[in-house]
mmCIF file of all heavy atoms in Angstrom:
data_model
loop_
_atom_site.group_PDB
_atom_site.id
_atom_site.type_symbol
_atom_site.label_atom_id
_atom_site.label_comp_id
_atom_site.label_asym_id
_atom_site.label_seq_id
_atom_site.Cartn_x
_atom_site.Cartn_y
_atom_site.Cartn_z
ATOM 1 N N GLU A 1 0.813 -1.213 0.000
ATOM 2 C CA GLU A 1 0.000 0.000 0.000
ATOM 3 C C GLU A 1 0.851 1.270 0.000
ATOM 4 O O GLU A 1 0.365 2.341 -0.344
ATOM 5 C CB GLU A 1 -0.917 0.002 1.221
ATOM 6 C CG GLU A 1 -0.152 -0.023 2.554
ATOM 7 C CD GLU A 1 -1.061 -0.001 3.760
ATOM 8 O OE1 GLU A 1 -2.179 0.568 3.656
ATOM 9 O OE2 GLU A 1 -0.663 -0.527 4.812
ATOM 10 N N VAL A 2 2.114 1.160 0.383
ATOM 11 C CA VAL A 2 3.030 2.302 0.387
ATOM 12 C C VAL A 2 4.275 1.896 -0.393
ATOM 13 O O VAL A 2 4.484 0.720 -0.710
ATOM 14 C CB VAL A 2 3.400 2.733 1.822
ATOM 15 C CG1 VAL A 2 2.196 3.309 2.537
ATOM 16 C CG2 VAL A 2 3.971 1.560 2.616
ATOM 17 N N SER A 3 5.132 2.864 -0.697
ATOM 18 C CA SER A 3 6.293 2.556 -1.530
ATOM 19 C C SER A 3 7.522 3.326 -1.075
ATOM 20 O O SER A 3 7.448 4.200 -0.209
ATOM 21 C CB SER A 3 5.995 2.878 -2.999
ATOM 22 O OG SER A 3 5.796 4.272 -3.171
ATOM 23 N N GLY A 4 8.659 2.982 -1.692
ATOM 24 C CA GLY A 4 9.910 3.698 -1.452
ATOM 25 C C GLY A 4 10.368 3.644 -0.012
ATOM 26 O O GLY A 4 10.173 2.639 0.692
ATOM 27 N N PRO A 5 10.959 4.726 0.478
ATOM 28 C CA PRO A 5 11.466 4.765 1.855
ATOM 29 C C PRO A 5 10.388 4.516 2.904
ATOM 30 O O PRO A 5 10.675 3.959 3.966
ATOM 31 C CB PRO A 5 12.041 6.184 1.977
ATOM 32 C CG PRO A 5 12.372 6.585 0.575
ATOM 33 C CD PRO A 5 11.308 5.954 -0.271
ATOM 34 N N VAL A 6 9.139 4.927 2.608
ATOM 35 C CA VAL A 6 8.048 4.692 3.559
ATOM 36 C C VAL A 6 7.816 3.195 3.721
ATOM 37 O O VAL A 6 7.621 2.692 4.833
ATOM 38 C CB VAL A 6 6.754 5.392 3.105
ATOM 39 C CG1 VAL A 6 5.601 5.066 4.052
ATOM 40 C CG2 VAL A 6 6.972 6.906 3.035
ATOM 41 N N LEU A 7 7.879 2.463 2.604
ATOM 42 C CA LEU A 7 7.729 1.011 2.678
ATOM 43 C C LEU A 7 8.878 0.395 3.477
ATOM 44 O O LEU A 7 8.658 -0.506 4.303
ATOM 45 C CB LEU A 7 7.688 0.408 1.276
ATOM 46 C CG LEU A 7 7.632 -1.117 1.205
ATOM 47 C CD1 LEU A 7 6.431 -1.659 1.972
ATOM 48 C CD2 LEU A 7 7.601 -1.585 -0.244
ATOM 49 N N ASP A 8 10.096 0.882 3.265
ATOM 50 C CA ASP A 8 11.243 0.366 4.019
ATOM 51 C C ASP A 8 11.031 0.540 5.519
ATOM 52 O O ASP A 8 11.322 -0.371 6.309
ATOM 53 C CB ASP A 8 12.525 1.105 3.596
ATOM 54 C CG ASP A 8 12.876 0.874 2.133
ATOM 55 O OD1 ASP A 8 12.383 -0.119 1.567
ATOM 56 O OD2 ASP A 8 13.627 1.687 1.576
ATOM 57 N N GLU A 9 10.524 1.701 5.906
ATOM 58 C CA GLU A 9 10.293 1.970 7.327
ATOM 59 C C GLU A 9 9.213 1.054 7.897
ATOM 60 O O GLU A 9 9.342 0.550 9.027
ATOM 61 C CB GLU A 9 9.882 3.439 7.511
ATOM 62 C CG GLU A 9 11.000 4.436 7.197
ATOM 63 C CD GLU A 9 10.502 5.868 7.212
ATOM 64 O OE1 GLU A 9 9.304 6.077 7.550
ATOM 65 O OE2 GLU A 9 11.289 6.778 6.886
ATOM 66 N N ARG A 10 8.163 0.825 7.123
ATOM 67 C CA ARG A 10 7.065 -0.018 7.611
ATOM 68 C C ARG A 10 7.511 -1.476 7.722
ATOM 69 O O ARG A 10 7.125 -2.188 8.654
ATOM 70 C CB ARG A 10 5.856 0.122 6.683
ATOM 71 C CG ARG A 10 5.266 1.527 6.662
ATOM 72 C CD ARG A 10 4.410 1.820 7.870
ATOM 73 N NE ARG A 10 3.133 1.141 7.782
ATOM 74 C CZ ARG A 10 2.100 1.579 7.066
ATOM 75 N NH1 ARG A 10 2.200 2.705 6.360
ATOM 76 N NH2 ARG A 10 0.976 0.904 7.058
ATOM 77 N N ILE A 11 8.298 -1.934 6.762
ATOM 78 C CA ILE A 11 8.819 -3.300 6.840
ATOM 79 C C ILE A 11 9.681 -3.453 8.082
ATOM 80 O O ILE A 11 9.626 -4.472 8.784
ATOM 81 C CB ILE A 11 9.608 -3.657 5.560
ATOM 82 C CG1 ILE A 11 8.658 -3.829 4.384
ATOM 83 C CG2 ILE A 11 10.434 -4.934 5.765
ATOM 84 C CD1 ILE A 11 9.348 -4.053 3.051
ATOM 85 N N ALA A 12 10.488 -2.419 8.383
ATOM 86 C CA ALA A 12 11.328 -2.462 9.586
ATOM 87 C C ALA A 12 10.484 -2.545 10.849
ATOM 88 O O ALA A 12 10.882 -3.171 11.846
ATOM 89 C CB ALA A 12 12.237 -1.232 9.628
ATOM 90 N N MET A 13 9.306 -1.927 10.829
ATOM 91 C CA MET A 13 8.423 -1.959 11.994
ATOM 92 C C MET A 13 7.709 -3.306 12.132
ATOM 93 O O MET A 13 7.545 -3.830 13.228
ATOM 94 C CB MET A 13 7.378 -0.844 11.894
ATOM 95 C CG MET A 13 7.942 0.568 11.966
ATOM 96 S SD MET A 13 6.671 1.824 11.661
ATOM 97 C CE MET A 13 5.644 1.629 13.117
ATOM 98 N N VAL A 14 7.320 -3.869 10.996
ATOM 99 C CA VAL A 14 6.482 -5.063 10.997
ATOM 100 C C VAL A 14 7.302 -6.346 10.948
ATOM 101 O O VAL A 14 6.914 -7.365 11.518
ATOM 102 C CB VAL A 14 5.508 -5.013 9.787
ATOM 103 C CG1 VAL A 14 4.762 -6.326 9.624
ATOM 104 C CG2 VAL A 14 4.521 -3.870 9.953
ATOM 105 N N GLY A 15 8.446 -6.299 10.268
ATOM 106 C CA GLY A 15 9.184 -7.513 9.968
ATOM 107 C C GLY A 15 10.111 -7.995 11.067
ATOM 108 O O GLY A 15 10.388 -7.302 12.043
ATOM 109 N N GLN A 16 10.580 -9.205 10.867
ATOM 110 C CA GLN A 16 11.556 -9.835 11.756
ATOM 111 C C GLN A 16 12.777 -10.255 10.942
ATOM 112 O O GLN A 16 12.688 -10.473 9.736
ATOM 113 C CB GLN A 16 10.945 -11.070 12.435
ATOM 114 C CG GLN A 16 9.759 -10.759 13.322
ATOM 115 C CD GLN A 16 9.126 -12.037 13.840
ATOM 116 O OE1 GLN A 16 8.853 -12.965 13.101
ATOM 117 N NE2 GLN A 16 8.895 -12.087 15.151
ATOM 118 N N MET A 17 13.919 -10.371 11.622
ATOM 119 C CA MET A 17 15.125 -10.808 10.949
ATOM 120 C C MET A 17 14.913 -12.231 10.406
ATOM 121 O O MET A 17 14.480 -13.112 11.146
ATOM 122 C CB MET A 17 16.309 -10.779 11.913
ATOM 123 C CG MET A 17 17.658 -10.911 11.235
ATOM 124 S SD MET A 17 18.029 -9.578 10.060
ATOM 125 C CE MET A 17 18.515 -8.243 11.148
ATOM 126 N N PRO A 18 15.185 -12.448 9.130
ATOM 127 C CA PRO A 18 14.860 -13.740 8.502
ATOM 128 C C PRO A 18 15.918 -14.802 8.760
ATOM 129 O O PRO A 18 16.721 -15.131 7.882
ATOM 130 C CB PRO A 18 14.786 -13.379 7.020
ATOM 131 C CG PRO A 18 15.790 -12.266 6.877
ATOM 132 C CD PRO A 18 15.716 -11.477 8.161
ATOM 133 N N LEU A 19 15.941 -15.340 9.956
ATOM 134 C CA LEU A 19 16.913 -16.382 10.253
ATOM 135 C C LEU A 19 16.715 -17.579 9.326
ATOM 136 O O LEU A 19 15.589 -17.884 8.932
ATOM 137 C CB LEU A 19 16.770 -16.843 11.704
ATOM 138 C CG LEU A 19 17.206 -15.861 12.791
ATOM 139 C CD1 LEU A 19 17.034 -16.521 14.157
ATOM 140 C CD2 LEU A 19 18.645 -15.426 12.601
ATOM 141 N N PRO A 20 17.797 -18.264 8.965
ATOM 142 C CA PRO A 20 17.667 -19.447 8.117
ATOM 143 C C PRO A 20 16.749 -20.482 8.752
ATOM 144 O O PRO A 20 16.639 -20.565 9.981
ATOM 145 C CB PRO A 20 19.106 -19.965 8.027
ATOM 146 C CG PRO A 20 19.963 -18.784 8.317
ATOM 147 C CD PRO A 20 19.196 -17.961 9.305
ATOM 148 N N PRO A 21 16.082 -21.297 7.934
ATOM 149 C CA PRO A 21 15.118 -22.276 8.466
ATOM 150 C C PRO A 21 15.709 -23.221 9.505
ATOM 151 O O PRO A 21 15.035 -23.583 10.462
ATOM 152 C CB PRO A 21 14.686 -23.046 7.210
ATOM 153 C CG PRO A 21 14.951 -22.115 6.077
ATOM 154 C CD PRO A 21 16.144 -21.301 6.470
ATOM 155 N N TYR A 22 16.989 -23.588 9.328
ATOM 156 C CA TYR A 22 17.583 -24.554 10.256
ATOM 157 C C TYR A 22 17.909 -23.933 11.613
ATOM 158 O O TYR A 22 18.180 -24.654 12.572
ATOM 159 C CB TYR A 22 18.836 -25.192 9.647
ATOM 160 C CG TYR A 22 19.733 -24.234 8.907
ATOM 161 C CD1 TYR A 22 20.588 -23.375 9.572
ATOM 162 C CD2 TYR A 22 19.716 -24.186 7.522
ATOM 163 C CE1 TYR A 22 21.400 -22.482 8.889
ATOM 164 C CE2 TYR A 22 20.533 -23.305 6.822
ATOM 165 C CZ TYR A 22 21.365 -22.460 7.507
ATOM 166 O OH TYR A 22 22.160 -21.573 6.823
ATOM 167 N N ILE A 23 17.861 -22.608 11.721
ATOM 168 C CA ILE A 23 17.980 -21.948 13.022
ATOM 169 C C ILE A 23 16.584 -21.621 13.561
ATOM 170 O O ILE A 23 16.264 -21.889 14.715
ATOM 171 C CB ILE A 23 18.824 -20.667 12.939
ATOM 172 C CG1 ILE A 23 20.268 -20.999 12.554
ATOM 173 C CG2 ILE A 23 18.801 -19.906 14.259
ATOM 174 C CD1 ILE A 23 21.161 -19.774 12.389
ATOM 175 N N ALA A 24 15.746 -21.067 12.681
ATOM 176 C CA ALA A 24 14.407 -20.661 13.090
ATOM 177 C C ALA A 24 13.587 -21.840 13.608
ATOM 178 O O ALA A 24 12.699 -21.664 14.456
ATOM 179 C CB ALA A 24 13.690 -19.998 11.921
ATOM 180 N N ALA A 25 13.883 -23.051 13.129
ATOM 181 C CA ALA A 25 13.144 -24.226 13.585
ATOM 182 C C ALA A 25 13.524 -24.621 15.004
ATOM 183 O O ALA A 25 12.789 -25.371 15.666
ATOM 184 C CB ALA A 25 13.407 -25.401 12.640
ATOM 185 N N LYS A 26 14.651 -24.111 15.491
ATOM 186 C CA LYS A 26 15.145 -24.510 16.803
ATOM 187 C C LYS A 26 14.995 -23.440 17.869
ATOM 188 O O LYS A 26 15.015 -23.733 19.063
ATOM 189 C CB LYS A 26 16.618 -24.928 16.691
ATOM 190 C CG LYS A 26 16.833 -26.168 15.835
ATOM 191 C CD LYS A 26 18.307 -26.506 15.735
ATOM 192 C CE LYS A 26 18.524 -27.743 14.877
ATOM 193 N NZ LYS A 26 17.932 -28.944 15.499
ATOM 194 N N ARG A 27 14.875 -22.188 17.448
ATOM 195 C CA ARG A 27 14.690 -21.112 18.430
ATOM 196 C C ARG A 27 14.125 -19.886 17.724
ATOM 197 O O ARG A 27 14.337 -19.689 16.519
ATOM 198 C CB ARG A 27 16.017 -20.756 19.117
ATOM 199 C CG ARG A 27 17.064 -20.137 18.195
ATOM 200 C CD ARG A 27 18.196 -19.504 18.997
ATOM 201 N NE ARG A 27 19.197 -18.889 18.152
ATOM 202 C CZ ARG A 27 19.095 -17.659 17.634
ATOM 203 N NH1 ARG A 27 18.025 -16.917 17.862
ATOM 204 N NH2 ARG A 27 20.069 -17.163 16.884
ATOM 205 N N PRO A 28 13.425 -19.003 18.443
ATOM 206 C CA PRO A 28 12.894 -17.796 17.813
ATOM 207 C C PRO A 28 13.973 -16.741 17.606
ATOM 208 O O PRO A 28 15.005 -16.734 18.291
ATOM 209 C CB PRO A 28 11.839 -17.317 18.820
ATOM 210 C CG PRO A 28 12.343 -17.828 20.136
ATOM 211 C CD PRO A 28 12.996 -19.154 19.843
ATOM 212 N N GLU A 29 13.725 -15.859 16.678
ATOM 213 C CA GLU A 29 14.599 -14.706 16.468
ATOM 214 C C GLU A 29 14.512 -13.782 17.679
ATOM 215 O O GLU A 29 13.450 -13.656 18.302
ATOM 216 C CB GLU A 29 14.151 -13.968 15.185
ATOM 217 C CG GLU A 29 14.856 -12.663 14.922
ATOM 218 C CD GLU A 29 14.023 -11.458 15.321
ATOM 219 O OE1 GLU A 29 12.847 -11.636 15.705
ATOM 220 O OE2 GLU A 29 14.554 -10.336 15.249
ATOM 221 N N ASP A 30 15.624 -13.144 18.069
ATOM 222 C CA ASP A 30 15.604 -12.242 19.214
ATOM 223 C C ASP A 30 16.468 -11.012 18.918
ATOM 224 O O ASP A 30 16.982 -10.839 17.803
ATOM 225 C CB ASP A 30 16.039 -12.949 20.501
ATOM 226 C CG ASP A 30 17.445 -13.558 20.396
ATOM 227 O OD1 ASP A 30 18.293 -13.012 19.642
ATOM 228 O OD2 ASP A 30 17.707 -14.571 21.071
ATOM 229 N N GLU A 31 16.620 -10.155 19.925
ATOM 230 C CA GLU A 31 17.325 -8.886 19.716
ATOM 231 C C GLU A 31 18.786 -9.087 19.317
ATOM 232 O O GLU A 31 19.349 -8.284 18.574
ATOM 233 C CB GLU A 31 17.241 -8.027 20.981
ATOM 234 C CG GLU A 31 15.839 -7.517 21.281
ATOM 235 C CD GLU A 31 15.813 -6.636 22.513
ATOM 236 O OE1 GLU A 31 16.891 -6.434 23.126
ATOM 237 O OE2 GLU A 31 14.727 -6.144 22.859
ATOM 238 N N ARG A 32 19.402 -10.144 19.800
ATOM 239 C CA ARG A 32 20.805 -10.389 19.455
ATOM 240 C C ARG A 32 20.981 -10.608 17.958
ATOM 241 O O ARG A 32 21.991 -10.211 17.377
ATOM 242 C CB ARG A 32 21.333 -11.603 20.227
ATOM 243 C CG ARG A 32 21.575 -11.351 21.694
ATOM 244 C CD ARG A 32 21.953 -12.630 22.418
ATOM 245 N NE ARG A 32 23.131 -13.292 21.838
ATOM 246 C CZ ARG A 32 23.587 -14.464 22.262
ATOM 247 N NH1 ARG A 32 22.955 -15.104 23.239
ATOM 248 N NH2 ARG A 32 24.658 -14.994 21.701
ATOM 249 N N ASP A 33 19.989 -11.237 17.330
ATOM 250 C CA ASP A 33 20.101 -11.544 15.903
ATOM 251 C C ASP A 33 20.131 -10.283 15.041
ATOM 252 O O ASP A 33 20.702 -10.293 13.946
ATOM 253 C CB ASP A 33 18.950 -12.441 15.464
ATOM 254 C CG ASP A 33 19.027 -13.814 16.103
ATOM 255 O OD1 ASP A 33 20.072 -14.477 15.966
ATOM 256 O OD2 ASP A 33 18.042 -14.218 16.753
ATOM 257 N N ALA A 34 19.522 -9.201 15.514
ATOM 258 C CA ALA A 34 19.532 -7.958 14.751
ATOM 259 C C ALA A 34 20.957 -7.466 14.525
ATOM 260 O O ALA A 34 21.253 -6.815 13.521
ATOM 261 C CB ALA A 34 18.711 -6.887 15.469
ATOM 262 N N VAL A 35 21.853 -7.792 15.451
ATOM 263 C CA VAL A 35 23.268 -7.438 15.318
ATOM 264 C C VAL A 35 24.067 -8.603 14.750
ATOM 265 O O VAL A 35 24.860 -8.445 13.816
ATOM 266 C CB VAL A 35 23.856 -7.018 16.682
ATOM 267 C CG1 VAL A 35 25.355 -6.765 16.571
ATOM 268 C CG2 VAL A 35 23.146 -5.773 17.202
ATOM 269 N N ASP A 36 23.833 -9.790 15.293
ATOM 270 C CA ASP A 36 24.629 -10.959 14.901
ATOM 271 C C ASP A 36 24.468 -11.313 13.434
ATOM 272 O O ASP A 36 25.418 -11.776 12.791
ATOM 273 C CB ASP A 36 24.231 -12.172 15.745
ATOM 274 C CG ASP A 36 24.692 -12.075 17.185
ATOM 275 O OD1 ASP A 36 25.562 -11.227 17.468
ATOM 276 O OD2 ASP A 36 24.184 -12.843 18.031
ATOM 277 N N TYR A 37 23.262 -11.125 12.883
ATOM 278 C CA TYR A 37 22.986 -11.554 11.508
ATOM 279 C C TYR A 37 23.177 -10.402 10.516
ATOM 280 O O TYR A 37 22.455 -10.276 9.544
ATOM 281 C CB TYR A 37 21.560 -12.112 11.424
ATOM 282 C CG TYR A 37 21.311 -13.011 10.230
ATOM 283 C CD1 TYR A 37 22.072 -14.151 10.011
ATOM 284 C CD2 TYR A 37 20.294 -12.729 9.325
ATOM 285 C CE1 TYR A 37 21.830 -14.970 8.925
ATOM 286 C CE2 TYR A 37 20.043 -13.546 8.237
ATOM 287 C CZ TYR A 37 20.824 -14.667 8.043
ATOM 288 O OH TYR A 37 20.592 -15.483 6.957
ATOM 289 N N GLN A 38 24.180 -9.575 10.792
ATOM 290 C CA GLN A 38 24.507 -8.436 9.927
ATOM 291 C C GLN A 38 26.017 -8.254 9.961
ATOM 292 O O GLN A 38 26.629 -8.300 11.031
ATOM 293 C CB GLN A 38 23.828 -7.170 10.457
ATOM 294 C CG GLN A 38 23.625 -6.051 9.475
ATOM 295 C CD GLN A 38 22.397 -6.253 8.591
ATOM 296 O OE1 GLN A 38 22.532 -6.792 7.506
ATOM 297 N NE2 GLN A 38 21.223 -5.826 9.043
ATOM 298 N N THR A 39 26.628 -8.072 8.805
ATOM 299 C CA THR A 39 28.065 -7.799 8.790
ATOM 300 C C THR A 39 28.329 -6.403 9.347
ATOM 301 O O THR A 39 27.447 -5.538 9.330
ATOM 302 C CB THR A 39 28.639 -7.895 7.368
ATOM 303 O OG1 THR A 39 28.051 -6.860 6.548
ATOM 304 C CG2 THR A 39 28.367 -9.258 6.752
ATOM 305 N N VAL A 40 29.543 -6.173 9.835
ATOM 306 C CA VAL A 40 29.865 -4.870 10.415
ATOM 307 C C VAL A 40 29.971 -3.800 9.341
ATOM 308 O O VAL A 40 29.956 -2.597 9.655
ATOM 309 C CB VAL A 40 31.173 -4.929 11.238
ATOM 310 C CG1 VAL A 40 31.014 -5.863 12.424
ATOM 311 C CG2 VAL A 40 32.368 -5.324 10.382
ATOM 312 N N TYR A 41 30.081 -4.206 8.072
ATOM 313 C CA TYR A 41 30.218 -3.236 6.983
ATOM 314 C C TYR A 41 28.961 -3.173 6.109
ATOM 315 O O TYR A 41 28.981 -2.585 5.019
ATOM 316 C CB TYR A 41 31.431 -3.587 6.114
ATOM 317 C CG TYR A 41 31.515 -5.039 5.705
ATOM 318 C CD1 TYR A 41 30.733 -5.538 4.663
ATOM 319 C CD2 TYR A 41 32.348 -5.920 6.378
ATOM 320 C CE1 TYR A 41 30.781 -6.864 4.309
ATOM 321 C CE2 TYR A 41 32.415 -7.260 6.021
ATOM 322 C CZ TYR A 41 31.631 -7.726 4.989
ATOM 323 O OH TYR A 41 31.681 -9.052 4.640
#
């Protein structure tokens, strides 16, 4: 329903970090993953 940067912001509000299936099947995504599942660059 929205586009561009507004859509990016809404996805950030609604979405979760997409952990791989073999991790997500064993535990839920949490705050640590927001940092751990991102390169420093």
Side-chain angles (χ1 to χ4, degrees):
E1 61 179 331
V2 292
S3 65
V6 176
L7 176 57
D8 297 340
E9 292 172 4
R10 296 282 286 280
I11 289 175
M13 294 174 68
V14 171
Q16 298 174 311
M17 193 61 78
L19 290 182
Y22 41 78
I23 296 177
K26 295 179 180 295
R27 66 166 181 83
E29 173 259 354
D30 58 30
E31 292 182 0
R32 287 174 57 184
D33 293 305
V35 175
D36 289 344
Y37 200 57
Q38 202 81 266
T39 64
V40 296
Y41 48 79

